[in-house]
Amino acid sequence: QLRGKDARSIFWGLVAVLAVGWPFCAALFVTTGFWAVWKKGFGDENNDAPLSFSSIIQPSVLFRIASLLGRTALHAIFIQFIVMVIDYQHYGQIVSPILNIFIYNTKGGGDELYGVEPTSYYVKNLLLNLNLVALWGLISLPILLLRLAISGGEERARTNRMLWKKITILLPMYIWLAIVVPRPHKEERFLFPIYPMLCVGAAITIDEVLSEVLRLVDTWMQRTPNNAVAGKMRLKLILGMIILLPSALVSMSRAAALTTNYASPLAMYEHLFYNVDVAPSSNSGASQTKKYVCTGGEWYRFPSSFHLPPNVELAFLKSSFSGQLPQPFTIHGSKEESLAIQQGKFNDDNKEEIDRYLTIEQCSYVVELIDTAKMDGEELRVPECIEYMNSDKTGQWKEVASYNFLDIDKTSALNRILYLPWGREKVFYKGYAMFERVD
């Protein structure tokens, strides 16, 4: 859109909404559509002619706008047709996942079973993931509106056009925040769609502020504003890099902290995939017996079924979580034939389905987060899966792998947020452990 390729922007917006299947991201392309309609209907964006009702209802203007809307509708129909053909191949019937997800998310209530957070949750996540860039991105619109109010001189018209283009690009970010922030259930991934806009907004903020500072310096030193333009651009680039350097250092430290402190689930299931022997014994015949890797409250840290060896399946033990848990696909995938053989039930309210759970006797492996140390006067809490294994009368269990996972209750906030090479003795870990049944 910054390069004036509005048709391409609209097309990729349609793909994002219709093909990806998350209809709410349409809010991010609202101003793109209005901007394209404006340019198509009233010609060059540099046109300074005053707008009137008579100019709007001219047949040529209406025809150009209608042609744009018609072409957009044809693109939408074409994309939706391809998506529905693919869905039909997988589901065995004509469905609209976009309509289903829209109905589910707009009726409210069901997602609250998975946690309710205050508005500060999003504030913390923005600061954790983008630090200063998030702040600069969020203040970009007020800065542009201020520049729009104080702009003057011979270049006022050209400057205002560029400012309005930047505003139309950034405005969807605030529309998105107005949609997701009021919802009680909040997730970090709900902020992902606006991260590119936050980065663009931060760049705009730095550029506008530095431009104004250099202009004031020119005024103070009584220099011609256009004097040594190339030198000013180099100076602005250097100053911008200096401003961004602290943010880059914090981001690298944050990435190192996430990798060091929270990567143990990935390492655990990688160990399972490459080191656990799941082959059938020589006297087991041609068929293999399915093995289950069971977990309780740690179900949400399971990365994906791609991390499991062949003939191994994730299963759940009853835990304190009381919402609906996922269920593996049958051999028929999402087609209608699955309804005849699937064992688990589903509901639209995310209420707990008891048929998701296995007993400890059915498990071959168990994954659990274990306290490895205790503070003075503190009693170690016995995890739920450990209690299940202790009560198992059919066999013994042994620990076969364990990886460090940050203990957020005992570690200081600064060491939770960033990786600091000093003071590591103040960082405490739990054990992300896997246990194997020994018959």
Side-chain angles (χ1 to χ4, degrees):
Q1 186 177 351
L2 280 171
R3 297 176 180 177
K5 298 179 179 180
D6 301 301
R8 186 176 298 179
S9 299
I10 293 174
F11 177 80
W12 288 114
L14 292 173
V15 171
V17 175
L18 300 176
V20 177
W22 207 27
F24 306 104
C25 66
L28 300 174
F29 299 95
V30 170
T31 56
T32 300
F34 279 114
W35 182 262
V37 168
W38 174 271
K39 288 177 59 178
K40 194 68 175 179
F42 303 102
D44 186 3
E45 61 185 277
N46 298 325
N47 184 10
D48 295 328
L51 186 65
S52 63
F53 180 75
S54 58
S55 64
I56 295 177
I57 62 173
Q58 289 182 7
S60 59
V61 172
L62 295 177
F63 176 78
R64 289 195 297 268
I65 294 177
S67 65
L68 172 65
L69 297 179
R71 186 169 65 251
T72 302
L74 289 176
H75 288 164
I77 294 172
F78 175 72
I79 295 172
Q80 184 62 39
F81 174 77
I82 295 176
V83 171
M84 292 185 72
V85 169
I86 296 174
D87 287 339
Y88 183 81
Q89 293 297 319
H90 288 277
Y91 294 110
Q93 57 182 326
I94 298 177
V95 296
S96 175
I98 293 178
L99 179 61
N100 291 341
I101 194 173
F102 183 81
I103 294 174
Y104 171 78
N105 283 275
T106 53
K107 71 177 183 179
D111 57 353
E112 295 178 15
L113 286 172
Y114 295 92
V116 175
E117 300 290 345
T119 303
S120 59
Y121 175 85
Y122 282 147
V123 176
K124 293 177 182 177
N125 273 277
L126 286 174
L127 294 177
L128 284 174
N129 294 329
L130 294 179
N131 53 77
L132 294 174
V133 172
L135 294 176
W136 296 329
L138 289 173
I139 65 174
S140 56
L141 183 60
I143 287 180
L144 289 176
L145 293 176
L146 179 62
R147 285 275 287 115
L148 196 64
I150 65 176
S151 62
E154 297 179 357
E155 298 295 322
R156 176 184 175 89
R158 185 178 65 85
T159 300
N160 284 0
R161 285 193 295 270
M162 181 55 64
L163 290 175
W164 275 114
K165 177 178 284 190
K166 294 177 180 178
I167 289 173
T168 58
I169 292 173
L170 294 176
L171 194 58
M173 175 173 65
Y174 299 90
I175 297 175
W176 184 262
L177 289 173
I179 293 174
V180 301
V181 170
R183 291 189 65 86
H185 176 65
K186 297 177 175 61
E187 295 185 35
E188 179 185 355
R189 65 188 177 98
F190 294 164
L191 296 176
F192 290 172
I194 65 170
Y195 280 177
M197 293 183 184
L198 283 169
C199 294
V200 171
I204 290 175
T205 296
I206 294 174
D207 179 71
E208 294 291 342
V209 170
L210 289 179
S211 296
E212 188 64 21
V213 169
L214 293 177
R215 188 189 67 81
L216 293 175
V217 170
D218 286 338
T219 302
W220 178 61
M221 299 183 66
Q222 298 182 347
R223 293 189 305 192
T224 304
N226 293 326
N227 186 33
V229 174
K232 288 182 182 180
M233 294 299 294
R234 287 194 295 268
L235 177 60
K236 186 190 293 187
L237 177 62
I238 293 173
L239 291 176
M241 294 176 64
I242 294 174
I243 292 173
L244 288 171
L245 181 60
S247 178
L249 294 175
V250 171
S251 296
M252 288 188 289
S253 179
R254 175 65 178 165
L258 292 174
T259 304
T260 304
N261 298 333
Y262 302 105
S264 51
L266 291 173
M268 171 64 64
Y269 288 100
E270 182 181 9
H271 174 89
L272 175 70
F273 190 92
Y274 289 109
N275 297 286
V276 174
D277 182 15
V278 296
S281 60
S282 58
N283 59 355
S284 62
S287 63
Q288 297 185 15
T289 302
K290 183 182 295 184
K291 294 186 177 183
Y292 292 102
V293 179
C294 298
T295 187
E298 290 299 304
W299 66 271
Y300 62 95
R301 291 196 177 104
F302 174 66
S304 78
S305 295
F306 293 109
H307 291 75
L308 295 179
N311 212 45
V312 174
E313 191 173 292
L314 183 72
F316 307 109
L317 296 170
K318 183 73 175 73
S319 68
S320 56
F321 177 72
S322 59
Q324 183 172 214
L325 290 168
Q327 178 175 284
F329 286 103
T330 70
I331 59 174
H332 300 293
S334 301
K335 292 187 177 181
E336 189 175 0
E337 291 84 348
S338 294
L339 298 177
I341 63 175
Q342 72 176 12
Q343 298 177 355
K345 298 178 180 178
F346 289 94
N347 64 82
D348 293 337
D349 299 318
N350 286 331
K351 294 181 179 179
E352 185 178 32
E353 295 287 355
I354 301 300
D355 55 36
R356 294 295 191 275
Y357 303 114
L358 296 186
T359 63
I360 189 63
E361 291 78 14
Q362 297 172 278
C363 302
S364 300
Y365 303 94
V366 169
V367 174
E368 183 59 285
L369 187 62
I370 309 295
D371 276 323
T372 57
K374 64 178 181 179
M375 307 295 285
D376 293 338
E378 180 189 29
E379 293 186 5
L380 286 178
R381 183 186 65 84
V382 179
E384 294 165 320
C385 287
I386 299 297
E387 293 180 349
Y388 284 125
M389 287 187 287
N390 291 337
S391 64
D392 185 11
K393 306 298 183 182
T394 61
Q396 300 296 319
W397 293 84
K398 69 173 182 179
E399 183 179 301
V400 293
S402 182
Y403 296 88
N404 287 337
F405 191 93
L406 189 71
D407 189 334
I408 62 175
D409 295 322
K410 299 173 184 176
T411 303
S412 64
L414 188 59
N415 282 290
R416 293 200 306 267
I417 296 172
L418 303 174
Y419 180 86
L420 305 176
W422 60 86
R424 301 301 296 172
E425 68 278 359
K426 299 179 181 179
V427 180
F428 299 90
Y429 291 97
K430 295 182 179 181
Y432 205 84
M434 182 171 65
F435 299 85
E436 182 181 14
R437 173 183 293 278
V438 181
D439 294 324

